[in-house]
Amino acid sequence: MNTPVKSPVRSRAAIGAALALAVSVALTACGGAEEKKEADSSKAGTQADAAKAAPSSPSAALREPLVTTFDGGLRLLDGESLKLGKTIDLPGFNRVNPAGDDTHVMLSTDSGFRVLDASAQTLTDIEFKGAKPGHVVRHAGKTVLFTDGTGEVHVFDPADLATGKKPKGRTHTTEKPHHGVAVELENGELLTTLGDEEKRVGAVVLDEDDKEVARNEDCPGVHGEAAAKGEAIAVGCEDGVLIYQDGKFTKVTSPDAYGRIGNQAGSDESPILLGDYKTDPEAELERPERVSLIDTRTGKLRLVDLGTSYSFRSLARGPHGEALVLGADGAIHVIDPEKGEVTRTVPAVGAWKEPLDWQQPRPVLFVRDHTAYVSEPGKRKLHAFDIESGEKKASVTLPDAPNELTGVVAGH
């Protein structure tokens, strides 16, 4: 995103004001200013109808639960049938991420990070207070929270959430608060971004005793992270990506002077990272049609033209390392990362256009195991697809337009 970064959490009144002024908010956090036709398969339609049955009992345990946000709360669903469970009222703009186990989901709220027991469909008392809660990263069996307003980093074992008490673990405070991200490696090293409220410049790595072991400040506008096979950790820059592996940083430069990679998706099955790719630093909202593939073995960057735009909520990875992108044409584009080409497309939702305000709903792609979940806010729908076959497994119509979407995901 190319406009000033703003807080990832704000009140509904602020959201309304932003809409009235048609303001483009550019929290590249997880987004950026960075919304025709239904999938046309009669068999898929029949299966979809089955999921429109009466909502499941709110007290019943959900299988592999999903969580969607809407203006003013959360809706929980069964991950297999897509039947509705409980609705939880939660004012403000809320964000959701997997907590790292098979039960919980992390919420970014007005007051900080909160923990939702998605299986039991209840908000717990566990909270990490702090202004502007940002990125949630799962890696090497640990979950890492980054609070933008304070620069605080919290690292914990997600299994400890089962105790019902706030997990104890490593804490760190960055040199200055900023919109950042952190990840703990298998050897206990902590990589965290560098910057302040005005600019972000790179990343630093600390050992288990918080002693600095590596630093690189050649990453303007650093944003987002992803891990590839072989524990290559990448953060995005306005001119490429910065990769940390085997104790050293390597810069991969974009082919354009301004070639911003702000959102990435990695896979333990592939040494190649998937990233977005933007080239207009002055755009109020750039709707790119190319994505980037970064080979962490060779340091080479390749661009793939999709022929359609996408948003920051469009990137994911399949069970075999496939690169998946939900296009504005309504299809999931499946990319072979080694060949650098789209091998097939899966019709998923109707065509859409990304709204100017990043907090407004747009279709979201969330992948878990062999299933791709795709939301369709314009029709208040949520769909589940088998990634390999492209078959629609289930579909449901929701009471409100879904915004963010996630689910429980154990291990990473």
Side-chain angles (χ1 to χ4, degrees), residues 30-254:
C30 314
E34 283 162 265
E35 153 193 252
K36 166 171 181 171
K37 301 175 189 172
E38 293 253 18
D40 101 72
S41 158
S42 58
K43 180 178 180 182
T46 301
Q47 293 177 328
D49 291 340
K52 294 179 181 177
S56 58
S57 168
S59 61
L62 299 179
R63 297 165 296 179
E64 299 185 338
L66 299 171
V67 181
T68 67
T69 68
F70 64 95
D71 185 15
L74 314 167
R75 292 199 184 278
L76 292 96
L77 301 93
D78 186 282
E80 294 185 17
S81 68
L82 298 189
K83 287 184 178 179
L84 282 167
K86 272 188 178 179
T87 296
I88 296 177
D89 293 331
L90 193 63
F93 177 75
N94 304 295
R95 312 209 66 187
V96 290
N97 285 281
D101 65 0
D102 60 2
T103 302
H104 298 89
V105 164
M106 296 300 305
L107 310 178
S108 298
T109 73
D110 288 333
S111 60
F113 291 103
R114 297 189 64 181
V115 178
L116 170 71
D117 186 330
S119 294
Q121 306 183 70
T122 58
L123 268 175
T124 73
D125 294 328
I126 303 173
E127 185 172 11
F128 297 81
K129 291 183 178 294
K132 304 177 185 178
H135 283 269
V136 178
V137 174
R138 298 169 296 111
H139 180 73
K142 294 293 178 64
T143 299
V144 183
L145 311 178
F146 194 103
T147 302
D148 294 349
T150 63
E152 291 179 318
V153 175
H154 293 273
V155 183
F156 61 89
D157 183 339
D160 292 342
L161 294 172
T163 66
K165 298 179 180 179
K166 183 177 178 179
K168 294 181 179 180
R170 180 178 187 172
T171 60
H172 171 75
T173 301
T174 57
E175 296 172 8
K176 294 182 180 180
H178 63 282
H179 177 57
V181 66
V183 56
E184 186 172 277
L185 283 68
E186 291 180 358
N187 64 3
E189 290 181 340
L190 180 70
L191 182 152
T192 182
T193 49
L194 291 167
D196 55 33
E197 293 183 353
E198 299 300 321
K199 64 179 181 179
R200 304 185 302 278
V201 298
V204 63
V205 178
L206 310 173
D207 66 15
E208 292 180 283
D209 299 316
D210 279 351
K211 179 182 178 180
E212 184 175 314
V213 297
R215 174 183 288 250
N216 188 298
E217 297 187 19
D218 183 24
C219 186
V222 60
H223 180 267
E225 62 73 43
K229 185 178 181 179
E231 203 175 28
I233 309 296
V235 292
C237 316
E238 291 177 350
D239 57 1
V241 295
L242 198 59
I243 298 173
Y244 180 76
Q245 187 174 31
D246 299 328
K248 64 179 181 180
F249 281 106
T250 301
K251 178 67 175 287
V252 178
T253 305
S254 296

Side-chain angles (χ1 to χ4, degrees), residues 383-398:
H383 313 282
F385 297 88
D386 181 270
I387 294 173
E388 282 86 356
S389 69
E391 177 184 351
K392 184 184 286 188
K393 300 166 63 177
S395 185
V396 67
T397 299
L398 302 169

Side-chain angles (χ1 to χ4, degrees), residues 17 37 106 115 121 149 180 227 234 238 240 246 260 285 309 319 332 344 352 357 363 366 371 399 410:
K37 301 175 189 172
M106 296 300 305
V115 178
Q121 306 183 70
E238 291 177 350
D246 299 328
R260 184 179 184 277
L285 172 63
S309 64
I332 300 172
R344 59 193 175 91
W352 52 280
D357 187 332
F366 170 66
T371 302

